[in-house]
Amino acid sequence: MVLERVNSPEDLKGLSLEELQALAEEIRSEIIRVTAQNGGHLASSLGAVELILALHRVFDSPRDRILFDVGHQAYAHKLITGRKDRFHTLRQEGGISGFTKVSESPHDAITAGHASTSLANALGMALARDLKGEDYHVVAVIGDGALTGGMALAALNKIGELQKRMLIVLNDNEMSISENVGALNKYFKELQIRKWVQDAEKLGKQILERISPQLFGLVDRAKEAAKLLLHQENPFYAWGIRYVGPVDGHDLKTLIHILEHLKALEGPTLLHVVTKKGKGYKVAEADPIYWHGPPGFDPKKPEKVSKGYTWSQAFGDAVTELAHLEPRLFVITPAMREGSGLVRYSLEHPERYLDVGICEDVAVTTAAGLALRGMKPIVAIYSTFLQRAYDQVIHDVAIENLPVVFAVDRAGIVGADGATHHGVFDIAYLRTIPNLQIAAPKDALELRAMLKKALELGGPIAIRYPRDNVERAPEGAWPEIPWGKWEVLKEGTEAYILAFGKTLRYALEAAGDDPRVGVVNARFLKPLDREMLRALARYKLLTVEDHQKMGGFGSAVLEALNELGLKPEVRILGLPDRFFEHGPIPGLHRQAGIDAQGIRQALAEMGLVPIHERA
Ligand SMILES: Cc1ncc(C[n+]2csc(CCOP(=O)(O)OP(=O)(O)O)c2C)c(N)n1
Ligand SMILES: CC(=O)[C@@H](O)[C@H](O)COP(=O)(O)O
Ligand SMILES: [Mg+2]
């Protein structure tokens, strides 16, 4: 076993090409083995194995800085940089992160998880290096999907201007999570055709020169003419960045040879490597979309595992039906078709569906444009990724009170993706925006009711729901709920739990059959149901939410009570002021004290000791 002998990238330097190739296969097996158990980003990491070995063979991490955009393709990097013995803890509570993480290893140049950050990071590092008179290489590996992000394209523009020495490796597997989109993506495809043309041309040349030099001359002139037709300005040259490629991203020998050469060059260089997402694992090669991030599987019999009916699917089913009722409906996703439950909708309503690529800012402002011209756009977007479009929500949507609905998926703790992905800031960053309303349905029926009503109401409305399963609602069901009104689910004589969104189930569990404790489905945060709040102010109140405590639902309740001049005893349960790492969602909720146990604890501290525990 070669991997046994590799404890740092230094150990790659002495390996033969055959040993490196054997190492690649051992790494693939380990990635499959652990992802089968833990879940994780299988296809992306399988596709980047040779590239990562070649980079660590040629460059000297951690002295040289190797950055991985998103960091989800970096499992091979983790295995050869001293973490092979902990790799089995990938994405587990207390285990190693599923992305690169500065605090996890000196070899992790950036903490990643959100796309398109590597190039600006690399630029900053190159600037620091040169200002301090230091001498090391800065290498950024970015996927074709991540390159659709505005941050990445804007960074290229600056990199080309400043001409700092750095290497950008474009890992082009023609995939984002779904098929990749964008004009650059089309151009890369054409470049690959051109590569094929070059190879065919070489072969043709050899044959022709032997048969007839005259004929060869004629063909040669024809080829020049064809080149003129095919020849387009390579955008990277326009950006002032040397372009090399495309090259086979699985050919270790060629990669090492080229990287050695590029290492010596001054200024910014982009090496375009072509890889296969899921390389070396048939099912992942055949379906890189499902195997982008499988939840776990039997490595011997890798079948797709159903994750059950999710909130995302409930959303997708609802908008697919709504599109028949509302011809102005238009749904946008920033590169998360599958994750947002939009496969069915995209197939049934392709003319009113758009995947903008990994650019949430463009998603929101495109929705604004649609709304300005009479459409009813819904932006389907993860809470964590909506952070990328905060200004657009204010500047392009809310100021003009445009009818844009934000279907905020993955709201709350999301589990194995960890701190970079928990959707625990959206209430705080949205609720201060005038005109924008915020709601959280308790089930799929309320989700349908809210989506339909939101389209009718107009104005910016955010509807947040968790990464979780949910009971399917009947097709065609469009219940009415009083907009802005909370719902008492259980009466109480001494206290009420005001639960927002997913924590409602914990509230009902904590209240149990205790007659003293009532439970409210506080499904509207903005507008808050002040009428009911006033009525409940004579009880003790406990708010609970799957969100940072600071600036969340509880804060909104406190502010409203203050404005109403009411001073009941209030406790707020939410996530404390720190980041939460990766781990199972229930465990993280327990840690945060927002589950049933945490609620009981808070009630006890408010004098409502559970009846069966009373002495
Ligand atoms: C800002 C942001 N939006 C969306 C995502 C979700 N996401 C994770 S990986 C990915 C696709 C990345 O494609 P690419 O860079 O080509 O890498 P590949 O998976 O193909 O190796 C997306 C959209 C993200 N991580 N960050
Ligand atoms: C790397 C990335 O950002 C996505 O792949 C993300 O991990 C998807 O999250 P879900 O699994 O919740 O769809
Ligand atoms: Mg890709």
Side-chain angles (χ1 to χ4, degrees):
M1 291 281 278
V2 182
L3 183 56
E4 278 167 5
R5 291 184 276 138
V6 176
N7 298 301
S8 88
E10 194 54 38
D11 298 330
L12 298 185
K13 314 288 186 197
L15 296 182
S16 67
L17 181 63
E18 291 67 29
E19 285 173 318
L20 282 172
Q21 283 160 343
L23 175 60
E25 291 324 303
E26 289 173 32
I27 284 174
R28 276 199 169 81
S29 305
E30 183 63 356
I31 289 172
I32 292 165
R33 183 184 73 84
V34 172
T35 314
Q37 287 167 349
N38 301 6
H41 293 93
L42 175 66
S44 309
S45 281
L46 288 175
V49 172
E50 283 80 11
L51 174 59
I52 288 170
L53 288 180
L55 286 168
H56 277 299
R57 164 68 169 239
V58 172
F59 292 95
D60 301 309
S61 174
R63 171 184 152 78
D64 293 335
R65 307 310 286 156
I66 302 176
L67 293 71
F68 293 95
D69 204 287
V70 184
H72 66 317
Q73 77 288 62
Y75 293 178
H77 162 80
K78 290 194 176 236
L79 282 162
I80 61 172
T81 53
R83 284 167 278 184
K84 65 183 180 203
D85 298 334
R86 293 173 54 215
F87 191 66
H88 67 282
T89 68
L90 181 76
R91 294 161 52 93
Q92 305 289 292
E93 189 163 4
I96 61 172
S97 164
F99 308 103
T100 57
K101 195 175 173 65
V102 172
S103 54
E104 188 176 287
S105 164
H107 294 280
D108 287 6
I110 57 171
T111 290
H114 282 197
S116 318
T117 66
S118 62
L119 301 189
N121 261 304
L123 178 59
M125 291 179 191
L127 285 165
R129 171 196 64 201
D130 295 355
L131 272 173
K132 294 167 73 181
E134 291 167 346
D135 181 18
Y136 51 85
H137 292 279
V138 177
V139 180
V141 179
I142 184 166
D144 54 310
L147 196 60
T148 61
M151 266 190 84
L153 299 173
L156 280 177
N157 193 24
K158 202 63 197 170
I159 287 166
E161 178 203 338
L162 297 180
Q163 289 296 302
K164 288 293 171 190
R165 172 165 56 95
M166 71 171 71
L167 174 63
I168 299 163
V169 181
L170 168 59
N171 174 20
D172 179 8
N173 52 24
E174 297 184 46
M175 291 299 290
S176 186
I177 294 180
S178 326
E179 298 80 7
N180 198 8
V181 297
L184 265 183
N185 175 49
K186 279 193 194 137
Y187 178 74
F188 295 149
K189 278 193 173 63
E190 188 215 279
L191 280 181
Q192 290 182 49
I193 296 170
R194 190 182 294 183
K195 174 86 180 54
W196 177 81
V197 167
Q198 284 164 348
D199 295 345
E201 170 200 333
K202 257 189 229 131
L203 183 66
K205 231 187 208 173
Q206 287 151 5
I207 296 168
L208 265 178
E209 268 178 328
R210 260 188 243 115
I211 298 172
S212 149
Q214 290 75 12
L215 184 58
F216 166 68
L218 189 70
V219 168
D220 204 37
R221 280 191 295 283
K223 180 204 72 179
E224 283 316 309
K227 242 186 190 173
L228 281 175
L229 289 175
L230 265 179
H231 184 71
Q232 270 143 23
E233 204 42 59
N234 181 318
F236 298 107
Y237 283 116
W239 269 312
I241 296 169
R242 183 186 299 109
Y243 170 88
V244 175
V247 298
D248 177 352
H250 301 297
D251 177 345
L252 264 168
K253 187 176 177 200
T254 305
L255 279 173
I256 291 169
H257 174 70
I258 287 181
L259 288 169
E260 288 290 2
H261 171 66
L262 297 182
K263 193 176 170 182
L265 299 180
E266 280 310 316
T269 302
L270 182 134
L271 172 62
H272 180 187
V273 299
V274 176
T275 60
K276 178 88 179 142
K277 194 163 182 175
K279 178 80 176 177
Y281 198 50
K282 281 196 180 49
V283 288
E285 289 191 16
D287 180 359
I289 294 181
Y290 175 82
W291 297 93
H292 167 86
F297 56 96
D298 174 352
K300 297 260 180 311
K301 258 178 51 201
E303 281 150 11
K304 294 180 184 178
V305 174
S306 160
K307 296 187 237 179
Y309 190 73
T310 63
W311 277 95
S312 309
Q313 284 168 294
F315 164 71
D317 289 341
V319 290
T320 302
E321 291 177 50
L322 271 174
H324 294 294
L325 308 176
E326 173 47 84
R328 295 168 294 178
L329 177 61
F330 193 103
V331 179
I332 297 176
T333 175
M336 298 304 282
R337 177 183 65 195
E338 283 73 18
S340 299
L342 287 172
V343 173
R344 179 186 168 199
Y345 178 89
S346 66
L347 295 173
E348 290 193 27
H349 307 286
E351 76 291 348
R352 287 187 281 157
Y353 166 78
L354 185 67
D355 173 354
V356 293
I358 312 181
C359 45
E360 288 77 9
D361 47 359
V362 171
V364 172
T365 303
T366 300
L370 283 155
L372 282 167
R373 303 306 299 155
M375 297 299 285
K376 293 267 187 182
I378 294 182
V379 180
I381 191 164
Y382 288 22
S383 163
T384 190
F385 299 142
L386 182 55
Q387 293 163 194
R388 279 284 175 88
Y390 187 49
D391 180 54
Q392 288 72 21
V393 173
I394 297 170
H395 181 271
D396 302 318
V397 175
I399 288 177
E400 292 299 343
N401 202 17
L402 296 180
V404 176
V405 174
F406 299 94
V408 185
D409 198 338
R410 299 326 189 261
I413 290 280
V414 295
D417 275 344
T420 53
H421 283 65
H422 295 317
V424 295
F425 306 105
D426 58 273
I427 297 174
Y429 70 67
L430 290 175
R431 77 181 183 90
T432 52
I433 301 173
N435 297 334
L436 189 140
Q437 302 186 68
I438 303 170
K442 72 167 184 280
D443 57 25
L445 273 171
E446 279 198 349
L447 174 62
R448 291 170 73 92
M450 288 180 178
L451 284 167
K452 186 166 187 293
K453 189 72 181 169
L455 290 174
E456 291 160 8
L457 283 175
I461 297 175
I463 299 170
R464 77 188 304 257
Y465 45 92
R467 183 179 203 271
D468 201 357
N469 289 351
V470 71
E471 191 178 331
R472 191 190 289 265
E475 185 142 346
W478 299 110
E480 291 279 334
I481 56 172
W483 192 264
K485 296 299 175 199
W486 293 350
E487 177 192 26
V488 176
L489 293 179
K490 178 175 180 288
E491 298 289 343
T493 57
E494 293 183 36
Y496 274 85
I497 306 168
L498 310 180
F500 190 64
K502 173 165 186 176
T503 54
L504 183 60
R505 75 163 73 139
Y506 293 141
L508 290 166
E509 185 188 335
D513 54 6
D514 186 335
R516 300 169 300 167
V517 181
V519 177
V520 171
N521 169 21
R523 55 197 171 186
F524 290 95
L525 185 149
K526 198 174 178 187
L528 214 56
D529 187 343
R530 288 165 177 252
E531 194 184 328
M532 185 179 289
L533 188 56
R534 182 189 297 277
L536 295 176
R538 62 177 184 278
Y539 301 95
K540 293 179 179 179
L541 299 178
L542 172 66
T543 69
V544 60
E545 61 200 289
D546 187 1
H547 180 277
Q548 293 300 114
K549 184 172 176 177
M550 290 168 74
F553 167 67
S555 302
V557 167
L558 277 183
E559 290 159 20
L561 288 167
N562 177 264
E563 285 164 14
L564 294 168
L566 300 166
K567 297 194 174 86
E569 183 183 349
V570 183
R571 291 289 300 272
I572 300 175
L573 290 184
L575 306 186
D577 184 21
R578 67 174 179 84
F579 288 106
F580 278 73
E581 298 305 336
H582 45 276
I585 293 174
L588 294 173
H589 282 164
R590 172 66 45 94
Q591 264 185 50
I594 61 170
D595 65 349
Q597 179 179 297
I599 294 170
R600 281 194 207 96
Q601 172 76 28
L603 288 169
E605 288 163 6
M606 296 171 80
L608 289 130
V609 176
I611 295 168
H612 62 275
E613 285 175 16
R614 278 193 298 189

